[in-house]
Every structure is written in C-alpha cells, then in structure tokens.
C-alpha cells in the first residue's frame, strides 16, 4: 500500500514538472494562485487551531472578566501606613483616576496614537507588521501591536511554536485583543496595561516604577518623569535611567516630541522640558526595605500558614505573593520609625566605643578558633563544600579578594575583599533588639530585630532568640517573694556569702556594699546580687520559676540559685511580655500583632481578637514591684535615663548585664508602653572587657532613652507619652515606707559605733537560718 502511494506521488510531481518546464506567464499566475490558495488555507487552519485553543489557551469573555493581575500583598501599620510588601515581582495596582492625563498622553503618543479609533487591532499598521515582522522575522520592528495587543501579551505570555512562533503568537494576541475590547472599555484597558507592563529592575506596573525610580506615586509624577517611564517601554534595559541616563534622556525627549506632535503638549513646553536634567530618586524596594523589616519577616511564615488554612477551609487558592492581600497590624508607624532611628544612632556610637576599646587588637584574640568556626558556618564555605571541593581549594577561594558591598555605619561601601576578611569584618559588629508593647492590651507597637535587615537578618526579638537576661530577671524574683509573704521592708544583709552546697558558689556585687543591709526596694534599685540570691531563697526557686511561666516566659528555666542573677536564657519577646504584668496590675495579655486580613477589594477575610487577660500575680505585688522599679530609674542603676535624655515621663525600669559583659539589657515601663532593648554580639565571645562600658545602662538603655525622647517630641503621641501611673494605695505605701539601705549591724553596734568587720558568710542555700528573739529584734 505504501509503495502504491509513493508511486502516485512520484507520478504527480513528474506531471507538475513537465507542466511547468516550458515556463510561461500563464503558468506563473497558476503557480502564484496555487501558492496563495495554499497560504490562505494554511492561515485558515492556523486561525481555527488558535481560536479553538489547541495552540495555547485563548480566554473567552467570561475568563477575561475575571482577569487576575498578580499583585503584591501589603502590610499596614495600625495608623494605615504601608510598612512593606510580599512579592515575587514588585507590582502595585492603581485606579484610572490615579493616572495623570500627561502619562496617558505620553503613552498614546508613542505607543498607539489611534487607540480610541480601533477595536484592538490597528489595520493601518498590519502591512508594516506583515512585511517586517512576519516575512522578515524581525521582532524588533515594533509599531504594529496596539496597546490592547501588548496587554494581551502581558496577560498571556508568548509560546514557542518553532518556525511559526511569531506568526501564531501575533494571531493569538490579535484574537485576545479583540475580545478584550469587547469586554472592557478603553479606560479599563489602559488601567490594566499600566498595571502589568514591565519596567525593568524586576518592576512591573506604572505605580511600582514611579516608586522605584522617583520615590513617588503615579499621581505625583511630573510630565518629564512620566515621559522617562513611558520611554522605557520601547526597551526597558537600553532606556533604563539608572543604567543608561544619557540614552534615557534622549528617549524621554522623543516622547515629549511625540506629545507635541499630536497636540497633547505645547511645542514651547516640550522644548523647555527637554532641557531639564534627569533627576532620579532611586528607591530599590526589596523585602529588606521599608519600616519593620524584621517584623514583616517574622510575620511571613505565619501568613503563609494562614493562607494554607484559609484555603482549606474556604476552598480558595489565596497566594500571599500574588493576590494583593492587605495585612493590618498593631505596629504604630511613628513609634516604629523612632525605634529604628534610635537604634541606628545609639548603635553607631556604641560600635565606635567598642572599636576604640579594642583599638588595634582583635576582639577574638583569646579565641583564635572563632574565625575558623565562622568560616565553616558561612554560606559560601558550605556551598563550596557541597560542590565537592577540597579544604585546600576552598581555602584558596575563601582568601581570594573579590568585589563586594559591605555594611558600615557610615554607609555601604564597595570594596575588594576576600570572603575571609568579610567574615572578620562582620564578626566584630555589636547587634541589638528592641520591642515595645502596650501593656493594657498586649499590642506590639514597635519591633526592631537588628541593626540592618539586609546584612544582619538574625532577629533578636523573636521567641526563638534567647540570651541570658541578667538582672532584668530580678523583678520576677522579688515579685515571687512578695507573693510568698515576704515584707518589702524586711532588711537583708548584702554580706558576701559562700554556699557550701553549691560547690562554693559565692555571688559578688558590682560595688563594695557588702557591709549594708537592703530593703527589697533598695536591693532592686541598686541591683545587689547577694541580696537577690537571698530573696530567691525566701521566695523559693520553684515558686519563682512558676511565676515566670505565668507571666509569659515559656523558655525552660533551670531551677538553680543563679537564676536570681539572670542566668536563664530568655527571649526579648518573653521578657517584655512578662514586664507588662507589672504595668497592668498583675494581668498577662498575650502579645498581639495582627488585627485583620482583607483581599485586594478590602473585603475582610478574618479579624483577629486580642486574648483575654489572665491574672499572673496579685495586683498588690505588681504595684509594689512597679513602685520599686520607678526608684531604679529615679535614683538607681538607670538614673542616667532622665538626665541624659531629658525625660519627664512616668518611667519604671530595670537594667541588666550578664557575665563578662556579654549582654546588655534594659526594660523600661511607662503606663502605655513596655520597651525592651538588648545589645551584644551575635557571637557571645565578642564583648567589652570593661563593665563600665559593657553594662546595660551604657549599651541598651540609651536606645530606650533616645526612642522615648523622640516620641515625646511628637505631639500626636501625647496620649502615650503623657500618661501617668495610678497612685500607690495608702495600704501599700505603708508597706514600702522605709529606707533603701542601712548599715549591717544590730541596735548595739549602731548605738556604740562598733560593727563586725567580717563581711563574708558561709551557709547552705535553701537552709533557713534560725534567729532568736533578740536577734530578730536587733536586726530590724
């Protein structure tokens, strides 16, 4: 059968050859007609295949009505300020009313002058397209596609059809364009187009481009700025004003000339605009940009999980990166900005002090293995290791200088540096964390997880980041003692004590105050370690740990006496949450940072309610501790807060410094804000050698002080900054009406001036010391 078919085909070609061999004009017309007929049939077949969707999806009218233009989800503060976006492509949608007329005029003058005359296909341009684009296969010829056709291409990207790719794609775009014109009016098409068109630098849509290149909204673009952006559409790379400013200016002037040519701009005005220099306000928006970047990154996995749960429950397909969700949070943009600025100012100064402190010495010199450990943990080293390179090969690469951008407090710097040197550069930086919560309802108002999210992405606020908290844990110890019936004015000796059942552990104070006795308020005011351990004895370790957990600390706390000095590893989030109990009469309200999520049409998908407050400790104990912490600020270890920053707020607080000055802490309390600050290096072995420089009062407290000073200067925050604590009830005032400290001696030594000069004691921790009547009397 196959042989028979081939024989007939051979006979057909033989007859055709014999027919055309003596070539005549008549035969030429026959051949041309046959070729034309075949082309028409072929085009008809391709058209039918394209319309039917067999060569790629061609949306119907119903599908076009539900066009889903990818849009970034946006995160907003409680005062409706945009904090940032989650996106794959940087894109923001705008309405037609927000597009200036001069932008539309520039677009139509250069891209589609007969836009309002055609119905998606400009027949007058088809000839040029057929000759240049289809027959010559010149894709850069341009000019043939209308704005509607370009929109079709943006919404339904081109496909590869081998030799016929350009022809089929053009046909497909014309079909879709025709349907778009029947579905939408001209304003809608222009809006869709300007929301989808790419502008380079991973920026899509006019609004994103306006913010990227000129740091403004589309509605605020000037005529020349609009011309620059419209000019980019011809070639987004070649006319990118950041990369090729001269070419961009030339293209801008072409756009202005086209506007003058078609009457949307006067010739004189066009000429004057052509003389203007190109002035960019380039703003590269990334996931690191904007306010509260650490907070937004903390929020991101929670939102992804929320989308997953919502989709399962509602049979939807919400996507955090493309569906334009609007996430409303409890963050106050004003407080957030002041927190970030305060951290930047104070950490710049603290880093300068740290560098001067070490001078020409490396802070890791006592730990030479630290650099090798850091190298092996680095992403570059791990990547090379996965590639199968030997240690020698990796070492060579890691020590080879390369061009890179590094973080410095004076600004980013372009340098040539080896990866090893960059590791040494970054390991010397001190970092910080700051968190502010409204104690009345648990809402998070400011969250700064580090000094720069682009270069230091480790968040020092979140629950999973735990550091020793130092003396900031002491108020919880004292609160536990009050809960167990210890009286605030019972004096406790500060004598140095060696605990025989704790392997000779002998806590020390930062000052030589071992010959004094302190009330609870005094010991907390001056952060006396030896007294705090005895307060823990009276409170009971188990009672103290249980109270810490009730106050919102979920971290494991080892039941050992040293927790009185803050050896427990606890997160910033937990510590600030615990301190809200002191400001809220003993009630714990779990932190809240989300208020609602809506879709792109502002339809509420879910509202988030605050948790109900739970009584963690008695209101009386909370008020007494708060009163003691006010004295810490007024006359104790945090006294510099008022004098340095000129603060007249009602403030309570506690400083904290861990062993070897590894961590510096300060947690401040006002009636409407509990603020925590931490300062230290990511590697705990990098630290100050001097307590006078490394203590929390020198490193962390200034961040809170700077923040409060800026907040005080903002009149709009008056309800927060001018709030006052409630007065202490008279019954509690009487309980705490005593001196902070006195000489450690009984009535006879005070009368006759003799005192036991022995300041050290030896005892077992947890063993109650029995006192006779006269000893109890004389020690009062």
């Amino acid at each position: 059968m196959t042989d028979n078919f081939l024989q007939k085909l051979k006979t057909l070609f033989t007859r055709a050859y014999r027919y055309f061999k003596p070539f005549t004009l008549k035969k030429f017309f026959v051949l041309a007609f046959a070729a034309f007929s075949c082309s028409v049939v072929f085009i008809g077949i391709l058209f039918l295949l394209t319309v039917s969707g067999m060569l790629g999806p061609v949306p119907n009218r119903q599908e076009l009505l539900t066009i889903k233009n990818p849009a970034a989800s946006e995160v907003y503060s409680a005062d409706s300020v945009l904090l940032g976006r989650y996106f794959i492509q940087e894109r923001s949608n705008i309405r037609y009313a927000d597009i200036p007329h001069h932008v539309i005029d520039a677009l139509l003058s250069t891209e589609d002058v007969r836009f309002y005359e055609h119905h998606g296909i400009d027949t007058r341009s088809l000839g040029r397209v057929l000759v240049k684009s289809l027959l010559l296969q010149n894709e850069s010829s341009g000019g043939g596609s209308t704005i509607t056709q370009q929109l079709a291409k943006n919404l339904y990207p081109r496909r590869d059809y081998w030799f016929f790719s350009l022809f089929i794609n053009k046909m497909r775009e014309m079909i879709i364009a025709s349907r778009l014109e029947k579905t939408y009016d001209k304003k809608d098409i222009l809006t869709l187009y300007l929301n989808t068109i790419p502008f380079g630098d991973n920026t899509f849509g006019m609004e994103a481009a306006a913010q990227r290149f000129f740091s403004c909204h589309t509605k605020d673009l000037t005529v020349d700025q609009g011309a620059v952006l419209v000019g980019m559409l011809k070639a987004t790379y070649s006319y990118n004003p950041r990369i090729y400013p001269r070419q961009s200016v030339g293209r801008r002037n072409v756009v202005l000339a086209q506007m003058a040519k078609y009457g949307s701009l006067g010739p004189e005005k066009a000429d004057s605009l052509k003389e203007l220099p190109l002035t960019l306000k380039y703003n590269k928006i990334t996931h690191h940009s904007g306010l509260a970047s650490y907070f937004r990154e903390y929020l991101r996995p929670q939102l992804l999980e929320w989308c997953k749960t919502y989709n399962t429950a509602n049979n939807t397909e919400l996507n955090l990166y493309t569906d334009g969700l609007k996430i409303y949070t409890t963050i106050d943009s004003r407080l957030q900005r002041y927190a970030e600025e305060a951290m930047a100012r104070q950490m710049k100064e603290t880093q300068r002090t740290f560098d001067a402190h070490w001078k020409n010495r490396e802070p890791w010199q006592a730990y030479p293995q630290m650099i090798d450990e850091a190298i092996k943990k680095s992403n570059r080293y791990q990547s090379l290791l996965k590639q199968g390179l030997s240690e020698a090969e990796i070492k060579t690469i890691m020590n080879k200088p390369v061009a890179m951008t590094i973080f410095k407090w004076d600004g980013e710097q372009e340098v040539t540096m080896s990866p090893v040197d960059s590791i040494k550069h970054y390991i010397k930086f001190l970092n910080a964390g700051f968190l502010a919560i409204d104690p009345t309802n648990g809402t998070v108002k400011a969250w700064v997880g580090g000094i720069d999210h682009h270069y230091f992405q480790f968040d020092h606020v979140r629950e999973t980041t735990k550091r020793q908290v130092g003396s900031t844990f002491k108020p919880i110890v004292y609160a536990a003692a009050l809960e167990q019936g210890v009286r605030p004015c019972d004096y406790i000796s500060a004598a140095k004590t060696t605990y025989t059942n704790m392997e000779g552990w002998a806590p020390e104070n930062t000052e030589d105050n071992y010959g004094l006795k302190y009330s609870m308020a005094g010991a907390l005011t001056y952060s006396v370690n030896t007294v705090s351990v005895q307060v823990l004895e009276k409170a009971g370790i188990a009672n103290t740990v249980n109270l810490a957990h009730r106050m919102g600390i979920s971290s494991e706390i080892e039941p050992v006496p040293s927790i009185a000095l803050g050896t427990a590893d606890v997160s910033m989030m937990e510590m600030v949450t615990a301190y809200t109990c002191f400001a809220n009469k003993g009630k714990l309200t779990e932190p809240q940072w989300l208020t609602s999520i809506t879709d792109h049409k502002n339809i509420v998908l879910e509202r988030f309610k605050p948790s109900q407050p739970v009584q963690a400790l008695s209101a009386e104990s909370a008020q007494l501790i708060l009163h003691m912490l006010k004295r810490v600020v007024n006359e104790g270890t945090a006294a510099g807060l008022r004098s340095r920053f000129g603060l007249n707020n009602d403030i309570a607080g506690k400083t904290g410094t861990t062993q070897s000055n590894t961590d510096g802490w300060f947690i401040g309390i006002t009636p409407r804000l509990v603020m925590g600050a931490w300062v230290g290096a990511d590697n705990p072995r990098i630290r100050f050698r001097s307590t006078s420089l490394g203590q929390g009062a020198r490193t962390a407290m200034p961040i809170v002080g700077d923040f409060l000073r800026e907040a005080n200067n903002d009149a709009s925050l008056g309800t927060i900054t001018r709030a006052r604590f409630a007065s202490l009830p008279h019954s509690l005032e009487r309980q705490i009406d005593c001196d902070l400290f006195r000489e450690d001696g009984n009535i006879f030594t005070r009368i006759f001036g003799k005192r036991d000069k022995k300041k050290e004691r030896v005892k077992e921790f947890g063993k109650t010391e029995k006192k006779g009547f006269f000893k109890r009397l004389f020690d009062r």
Side-chain angles (χ1 to χ4, degrees):
M1 182 177 179
T2 303
D3 293 340
N4 188 34
F5 173 77
L6 291 174
Q7 184 62 39
K8 289 182 178 180
L9 191 62
K10 181 179 178 182
T11 302
L12 179 63
F13 276 107
T14 301
R15 290 178 179 177
Y17 173 76
R18 290 175 179 173
Y19 176 79
F20 285 107
K21 187 176 181 181
F23 194 77
T24 62
L25 187 61
K26 177 181 178 182
K27 292 179 181 180
F28 168 78
F29 282 115
V30 171
L31 182 61
F33 179 76
F36 176 77
S37 300
C38 290
S39 299
V40 170
V41 172
F42 180 72
I43 291 172
I45 293 172
L46 288 181
F47 178 80
L48 292 174
L49 291 174
T50 303
V51 170
S52 67
M54 295 181 69
L55 297 179
V58 178
N60 56 36
R61 186 174 184 276
Q62 191 61 36
E63 291 171 327
L64 291 175
L65 282 170
T66 58
I67 286 176
K68 192 176 182 181
N69 185 27
S73 292
E74 299 176 329
V75 183
Y76 288 91
S77 66
D79 49 334
S80 301
V81 172
L82 178 64
L83 298 176
R85 299 183 177 92
Y86 300 108
F87 58 86
I88 297 173
Q89 298 172 337
E90 186 188 337
R91 176 193 306 266
S92 293
N93 293 333
I94 53 174
R95 303 170 303 162
Y96 181 82
D98 295 325
I99 306 171
H101 288 297
H102 66 77
V103 170
I104 294 175
D105 290 338
L107 177 66
L108 299 184
S109 297
T110 54
E111 295 293 321
D112 194 350
V113 294
R114 289 180 289 277
F115 175 73
Y116 290 108
E117 301 172 16
H118 63 67
H119 299 289
I121 303 170
D122 187 354
T123 55
R124 291 172 59 178
S125 300
L126 281 179
R128 182 173 67 254
V129 173
L130 286 171
V131 174
K132 291 186 177 181
S133 296
L134 301 184
L135 298 182
L136 301 180
Q137 290 289 300
N138 181 7
E139 295 193 40
S140 63
S141 59
S145 293
T146 63
I147 283 177
T148 317
Q149 287 175 259
Q150 293 179 48
L151 173 61
K153 183 173 69 174
N154 294 336
L155 294 175
Y156 302 94
R158 290 181 170 181
R159 296 188 169 199
D160 183 12
Y161 298 102
W162 293 34
F163 180 75
F164 302 104
S165 291
L166 188 59
F167 182 86
I168 295 175
N169 280 315
K170 284 284 187 181
M171 184 181 296
R172 183 165 165 262
E173 288 160 14
M174 286 190 286
I175 295 169
I176 296 174
S178 179
R179 293 180 180 181
L180 281 168
E181 291 276 349
K182 294 176 182 177
T183 305
Y184 294 99
D185 62 26
K186 293 290 185 178
K187 289 182 179 180
D188 291 334
I189 289 173
L190 284 172
T191 305
L192 277 170
Y193 176 82
L194 288 174
N195 281 332
T196 58
I197 196 71
F199 280 89
D201 287 3
N202 196 37
T203 303
F204 292 77
M206 180 62 73
E207 177 67 7
Q211 293 183 27
R212 171 65 67 90
F213 293 100
F214 297 107
S215 296
C216 69
H217 295 290
T218 301
K219 61 183 180 182
D220 300 319
L221 286 170
T222 60
V223 176
D224 58 305
Q225 290 172 340
V228 168
L229 297 182
V230 169
M232 288 179 67
L233 299 180
K234 183 176 178 64
T236 57
Y237 182 76
S238 299
Y239 296 121
N240 187 314
R242 176 182 63 86
I243 304 172
Y244 300 111
R246 182 177 296 180
Q247 292 175 213
S248 175
V249 169
R251 180 59 185 168
R252 177 200 68 181
N253 293 344
V254 170
V255 173
L256 293 172
Q258 288 292 101
M259 294 174 70
K261 176 181 177 180
Y262 291 104
S264 58
L265 191 65
E268 294 182 359
K269 179 67 174 177
D271 290 339
S272 65
L273 291 174
K274 289 178 184 179
E275 298 300 319
L276 292 177
L278 175 63
T279 304
L280 296 181
K281 292 182 180 179
Y282 193 78
N283 177 28
K284 185 177 181 180
I285 300 174
T286 69
H287 296 295
H288 309 298
S289 306
L291 288 172
S293 52
Y294 288 92
F295 169 70
R296 286 185 281 113
E297 181 57 27
Y298 175 79
L299 203 57
R300 185 177 61 82
Q302 298 179 31
L303 294 172
L304 289 171
E305 185 61 29
W306 179 88
C307 288
K308 182 179 178 181
T309 303
Y310 186 89
N311 289 337
T312 301
N314 297 276
N315 195 27
T316 54
E317 295 182 359
L318 289 179
N319 186 301
L320 177 64
Y321 301 108
T322 60
D323 282 341
L325 301 177
K326 295 183 179 180
I327 299 103
Y328 294 92
T329 72
T330 62
I331 295 289
D332 186 301
S333 69
R334 299 162 297 179
L335 294 175
Q336 180 67 34
R337 181 173 288 105
Y338 298 146
E340 293 184 9
E341 292 173 351
M343 179 179 286
R345 279 191 295 268
Q346 296 305 319
M347 288 306 297
K348 181 178 181 179
E349 184 61 32
T350 299
Q351 187 67 47
R352 184 181 292 116
T353 301
F354 183 78
D355 293 340
H357 169 68
W358 282 97
K359 295 182 180 177
N360 297 322
R361 302 166 65 186
E362 301 294 3
W364 59 79
Q365 62 182 13
Y367 308 96
Q369 72 278 15
M370 188 190 303
I371 298 301
D372 287 335
E373 293 171 359
I375 290 172
K376 291 181 178 179
K377 288 180 180 178
S378 68
N379 293 333
R380 189 185 294 262
Y381 179 92
Q382 293 295 324
S383 175
L384 296 172
L385 196 63
K386 288 180 180 178
Q387 296 175 31
L389 274 66
S390 67
E391 285 292 331
E393 292 171 322
I394 294 175
K395 184 177 180 180
T396 299
I397 295 173
M398 294 292 288
N399 282 285
K400 182 179 179 181
V402 294
M404 64 175 71
T405 304
I406 62 172
F407 171 84
K408 298 195 77 173
W409 275 114
D410 294 328
E412 291 183 334
Q413 287 190 6
E414 300 288 339
V415 298
T416 300
M417 178 184 288
S418 74
V420 169
D421 287 337
S422 73
I423 290 171
K424 292 178 180 179
H425 170 75
Y426 285 114
I427 206 170
K428 291 187 287 188
F429 275 92
L430 296 178
N431 222 305
F434 178 91
L435 178 67
I437 295 179
D438 185 338
T440 64
N441 53 27
T443 53
V444 173
K445 294 301 179 183
W447 178 316
V448 190
I451 57 176
D452 187 283
H453 192 254
H454 181 72
Y455 292 95
F456 305 91
Q457 294 177 22
F458 192 74
D459 189 343
H460 297 93
V461 170
R462 61 172 63 213
E463 302 94 323
T464 54
T465 304
K466 304 177 191 292
R467 300 289 290 238
Q468 285 193 352
V469 294
S471 294
T472 58
F473 194 79
K474 288 176 181 176
I476 299 173
V477 175
Y478 284 62
L482 291 175
E483 293 286 89
Q484 295 304 310
V486 178
R487 293 177 297 185
C489 284
D490 282 351
Y491 284 89
I492 301 173
S493 173
K496 187 173 181 179
T497 303
T498 299
Y499 294 94
T500 57
N501 58 341
M502 293 292 155
E503 299 180 350
W505 180 54
E508 297 181 350
N509 298 328
T510 56
E511 297 181 6
D512 185 13
N513 52 6
Y514 299 107
L516 301 176
K517 283 186 174 183
Y518 288 87
S519 65
M520 290 181 69
L524 199 54
T525 298
Y526 298 110
S527 201
V528 184
N529 291 336
T530 54
V531 174
S532 297
V533 175
Q534 295 176 73
V535 173
L536 177 66
E537 276 190 285
K538 296 175 182 295
I541 292 178
N543 294 328
T544 303
V545 171
N546 289 336
L547 176 61
H549 290 327
R550 291 200 304 273
M551 292 176 69
I553 295 176
S554 58
S555 296
E556 183 180 350
I557 300 175
E558 189 177 358
V560 293
S562 61
I563 65 171
L565 310 183
T567 56
D569 292 322
V570 184
S571 70
M572 170 72 74
M573 175 68 75
E574 294 170 288
M575 288 304 298
V576 174
T577 299
Y579 270 58
T580 63
C581 297
F582 298 136
N584 200 28
K585 295 185 176 180
K587 293 180 180 178
L588 168 67
T589 302
E590 294 291 341
Q592 180 193 6
W593 42 81
L594 280 176
T595 56
S596 65
I597 298 177
T598 73
D599 65 11
H600 65 286
K601 295 180 180 179
N602 286 323
I603 297 174
V604 176
L605 303 178
E606 185 171 352
R607 295 188 190 277
F608 300 90
K609 298 179 180 179
S611 63
Q612 292 299 312
V614 177
Q615 199 75 41
L617 72 158
S618 68
E620 293 77 14
S621 295
Q623 288 173 290
L624 286 170
I625 294 294
L626 184 64
H627 183 80
M628 296 178 194
L629 293 175
K630 289 174 69 175
R631 300 193 73 164
V632 174
V633 172
N634 292 336
E635 51 192 303
T637 58
L641 187 66
R642 291 194 185 280
S643 59
R644 178 175 174 182
F645 296 98
L647 304 179
N648 295 316
N649 311 65
D650 229 357
I651 313 173
K654 186 71 187 75
T655 56
T657 309
T658 62
Q659 190 171 8
S660 301
N661 312 301
T662 299
D663 307 273
W665 287 82
F666 179 72
I667 302 179
I669 307 174
T670 69
R672 293 292 303 277
L673 287 176
V674 175
M675 304 145 287
W678 166 89
V679 172
D682 286 336
N683 190 313
R685 291 170 289 185
I686 302 294
R687 57 203 178 203
F688 282 102
R689 292 166 292 165
S690 165
T691 301
S692 63
L693 296 176
Q695 62 182 300
R698 286 290 301 271
T699 59
M701 191 176 73
I703 297 174
V704 175
D706 194 329
F707 165 77
L708 272 178
R709 180 179 59 190
E710 294 305 308
N712 286 344
N713 291 334
D714 189 334
S716 67
L717 294 170
T719 56
I720 295 175
T721 57
R722 291 195 294 268
R724 291 288 181 256
F725 291 120
S727 299
L728 200 63
H730 292 300
S731 60
L732 296 182
E733 279 187 357
R734 288 194 299 271
Q735 290 186 40
I736 206 166
D737 185 18
C738 56
D739 294 333
L740 295 179
F741 59 88
R742 69 186 189 191
E743 289 290 322
D744 187 1
N746 57 36
I747 189 170
F748 291 115
T749 59
R750 290 195 292 272
I751 292 173
F752 298 107
K754 293 181 179 181
R755 180 166 57 90
D756 183 6
K757 295 183 179 181
K758 184 180 180 181
K759 299 178 183 179
E760 296 191 20
R761 299 185 302 173
V762 177
K763 62 167 293 189
E764 291 184 18
F765 182 88
K767 186 175 182 179
T768 304
E769 184 180 2
K770 293 184 179 180
K771 294 184 179 182
F773 171 76
F774 289 103
K775 186 170 181 59
R776 292 197 302 271
L777 174 64
F778 295 151
D779 281 354
R780 289 180 181 277

